[in-house]
């Protein structure tokens, strides 16, 4: 397994991971999702035997905040420490930043085990 920067050739495999996870909005908005990957200054994949098995996409100002937009590990490769390695790898690139992300009801316990602390947040789309 190797952690490496995202390449545009990875996008179809990323979308397959999104679809398998049920992240249908990212799949449905194919071109917007692809554009988000192009514009993200933190974009890494984990590759094993030529296949993308995990990814992290985020944004950072490089000094204060590093925001993880998406972190996804293929179901077949979970509970192997890949997510923790990927988070540690990216945070080590910007060690002065605080690492921030949203967690779902099903993933918050994972982040709590990694010593993330909850914080209050808001979300709104332009259509709301």
């Amino acid at each position: 397994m190797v952690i490496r920067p995202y390449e545009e050739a990875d996008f179809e495999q990323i979308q397959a991971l999104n679809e398998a996870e049920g992240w249908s909005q990212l799949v449905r908005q194919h071109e917007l999702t692809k554009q988000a990957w192009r514009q993200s200054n933190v974009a890494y994949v984990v590759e094993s035997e030529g296949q993308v098995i995990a990814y992290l996409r985020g944004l950072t100002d490089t000094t204060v905040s590093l925001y993880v937009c998406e972190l996804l590990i293929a179901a077949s490769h979970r509970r192997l420490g890949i997510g923790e390695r990927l988070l540690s790898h990216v945070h080590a690139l910007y060690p002065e930043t605080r690492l921030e992300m949203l967690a779902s009801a099903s993933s918050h316990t994972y982040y709590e085990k990694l010593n993330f602390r909850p914080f209050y947040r808001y979300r709104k789309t332009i259509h709301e």
Side-chain angles (χ1 to χ4, degrees):
M1 272 185 280
V2 63
I3 297 173
R4 63 168 176 77
Y6 163 77
E7 299 170 0
E8 196 153 331
D10 300 322
F11 187 72
E12 293 307 320
Q13 291 184 64
I14 287 168
Q15 285 291 70
L17 288 173
N18 289 336
E19 187 167 19
E21 189 64 19
W23 291 358
S24 56
Q25 183 175 352
L26 295 175
V27 175
R28 205 171 39 252
Q29 296 181 340
H30 187 85
E31 289 304 315
L32 290 175
T33 302
K34 185 183 269 189
Q35 185 176 3
W37 274 91
R38 283 187 192 126
Q39 295 178 1
S40 296
N41 60 353
V42 178
Y44 288 84
V45 300
V46 178
E47 184 179 32
S48 178
E49 299 178 8
Q51 294 295 310
V52 173
I53 59 164
Y55 74 77
L56 184 150
R57 185 182 73 79
L59 303 165
T60 187
D61 56 24
T62 74
T63 55
V64 175
S65 298
L66 192 166
Y67 178 75
V68 175
C69 302
E70 291 110 28
L71 170 66
L72 183 56
I73 315 301
S76 60
H77 288 79
R78 292 182 185 159
R79 302 194 192 289
L80 301 174
I82 296 169
E84 186 173 0
R85 283 181 47 207
L86 192 49
L87 285 166
S88 294
H89 175 83
V90 170
H91 205 188
L93 297 172
Y94 310 99
E96 301 303 316
T97 61
R98 61 181 179 234
L99 191 55
E100 302 183 40
M101 69 186 71
L102 295 177
S104 66
S106 62
S107 67
H108 74 91
T109 55
Y110 170 75
Y111 297 111
E112 288 168 357
K113 285 182 203 173
L114 298 179
N115 295 318
F116 283 83
R117 62 186 180 278
F119 66 97
Y120 200 69
R121 64 227 168 254
Y122 291 95
R123 175 181 273 178
K124 182 180 184 226
T125 68
I126 194 77
H127 305 292
E128 296 173 305

